Amino acid sequence: SVSGLRVALGEELPFGTKVKVHIRFPALPGESVIDAQVRWSNAEVGGGFCTGLQLLRVRARETRALNQLVRGA
């Protein structure tokens, strides 16, 4: 979604942990860095963790790029 991401991680991050997400959007040059916070984490059967991140302070250009990805444009 535009407000968050689900990511696969090798280790569990506690609820509320703040992280920086480094991501490349097809519509933007270079790498974007977006602050995020852990909202949930579930252990996976085969190992690792499925983790939900809430995106924080997303700039307008990243918001537009996220909207394009979510809409499949």
Side-chain angles (χ1 to χ4, degrees):
S1 80
V2 176
S3 63
L5 302 170
R6 180 178 62 187
V7 297
L9 299 175
E11 63 184 71
E12 185 173 22
L13 295 177
F15 177 83
T17 300
K18 292 189 177 178
V19 297
K20 292 196 179 289
V21 176
H22 295 253
I23 188 169
R24 288 185 172 271
F25 294 104
L28 298 177
E31 181 180 78
S32 295
V33 180
I34 301 173
D35 292 329
Q37 188 170 26
V38 174
R39 304 315 287 166
W40 55 267
S41 184
N42 295 318
E44 294 288 300
V45 173
F49 294 85
C50 185
T51 302
L53 300 175
Q54 178 184 6
L55 301 177
L56 309 171
R57 294 187 299 274
V58 182
R59 294 184 298 189
R61 68 185 201 133
E62 277 91 11
T63 298
R64 283 192 299 275
L66 280 164
N67 278 319
Q68 287 178 346
L69 284 176
V70 170
R71 287 192 322 255

